[in-house]
Amino acid sequence: MAEHSGLFVTFEGGEGAGKSTQIRRLADLLRRRGYDVLVTREPGGSPGAEAVRHVLLSGAAEASGVRMEAILFAAARNDHVEEVIRPALASGAIVLCDRFVDSSRVYQGATGNLEPELIEALQRVAVNGVVPDCTIILDLPAEIGLKRARKRSSGAAPDRFEREEIETHEKRREAYLDIATNDPARCHVVEADRPEEEVATAIAAIVEPRVGALGFAKASGAETAL
Ligand code: TYD
């Protein structure tokens, strides 16, 4: 049972799966319906965590090894949870977060080969009881995702995690699907290799009943039409 009165939805998936586009679309939809929505992301989302994000994505921590990186991701996550996510949920907001604990399980665990016990111990400390109510996993073949991601960054140098090989990306996809199989009440796999509009409709069909079930009070005077 969630300890908060808001709704915590996380978005996961490999490179180029369309997470940010879909988060924006869902946020727009929920706001039009009058809900208080906070969009955030990891690594980052709070001033302290954004500083750590730079260290992680520049590759500055890479030489120190995956254990160091995992601890840094967890440190950033804890700051983000305590400074931003927990207060927003306590105030009754819907929080949409681009990546969360499952990214650590997949990137540092499945493809970083860090022991699952260490990953889980770090997550327990990092989230300190704030767990997602619902996780949308955007699924698509690694090759397509990478092509999309490269197009998007057109010319910009790939970050520390985008530089890795296609097999690594496929392994991550499998790891996400395993997480979904093991936690079906929380995780929903959405096929992302189809038109943006269709993906958005599928996501709304998953999230909207949860919003409704919680019986949120809408901000007064808000527009309720689609
Ligand atoms: P970002 O630029 O936010 O890209 P994306 O659009 O892929 O989300 O980069 C975040 C990168 O950090 C991404 O490659 C995944 C990685 N990551 C981890 O390895 N572990 C984590 O716990 C998180 C949150 C992200």
Side-chain angles (χ1 to χ4, degrees):
M1 187 68 191
E3 62 175 59
H4 48 257
S5 59
L7 185 75
F8 186 21
V9 184
T10 59
F11 288 74
E12 297 279 358
E15 260 56 45
K19 286 184 283 89
S20 34
T21 305
Q22 292 300 333
I23 290 172
R24 199 170 50 240
R25 290 187 70 127
L26 182 64
D28 287 349
L29 171 71
L30 294 170
R31 284 181 183 133
R32 281 201 304 277
R33 300 216 166 157
Y35 296 105
D36 183 11
V37 180
L38 175 85
V39 172
T40 187
R41 65 152 182 201
E42 288 208 347
S46 62
E50 288 291 330
V52 180
R53 174 186 175 90
H54 176 72
V55 172
L56 283 162
L57 297 192
S58 66
E62 191 175 358
S64 305
V66 68
R67 180 178 290 255
M68 166 79 154
E69 287 183 318
I71 294 169
L72 287 174
F73 275 114
R77 179 160 302 134
N78 183 249
D79 192 68
H80 185 210
V81 164
E82 300 302 350
E83 298 298 320
V84 174
I85 300 176
R86 190 191 301 278
L89 292 172
S91 78
I94 299 172
V95 176
L96 307 181
C97 186
D98 190 339
R99 297 193 182 281
F100 199 59
V101 287
D102 299 310
S103 283
S104 288
R105 292 181 174 130
V106 168
Y107 285 72
Q108 283 66 56
T111 57
N113 294 319
L114 211 59
E115 318 86 87
E117 296 73 23
L118 176 59
I119 295 282
E120 292 312 313
L122 286 173
Q123 300 324 304
R124 266 195 307 280
V125 173
V127 309
N128 194 18
V130 176
V131 292
D133 298 295
C134 174
T135 296
I136 305 291
I137 296 174
L138 290 176
D139 178 56
L140 86 170
E143 207 161 327
I144 296 172
L146 279 176
K147 252 187 217 148
R148 283 197 199 169
R150 286 193 184 128
K151 216 175 187 179
R152 184 184 57 189
S153 57
S154 62
D159 74 33
R160 145 95 178 87
F161 296 93
E162 284 167 353
R163 281 198 298 271
E164 291 166 331
E165 295 300 320
I166 190 101
E167 301 89 272
T168 306
H169 290 271
E170 253 331 316
K171 210 164 162 190
R172 287 183 187 142
R173 181 188 188 195
E174 293 307 318
Y176 272 125
L177 296 177
D178 285 348
I179 289 173
T181 304
N182 292 326
D183 196 352
R186 172 176 67 91
C187 299
H188 301 264
V189 177
V190 172
E191 199 214 305
D193 187 16
R194 53 185 167 150
E196 189 184 306
E197 189 73 40
E198 270 180 44
V199 177
T201 304
I203 293 172
I206 295 163
V207 176
E208 285 199 295
R210 289 170 182 261
V211 173
L214 284 174
F216 282 116
K218 295 181 181 184
S220 58
E223 191 191 323
T224 51
L226 253 177

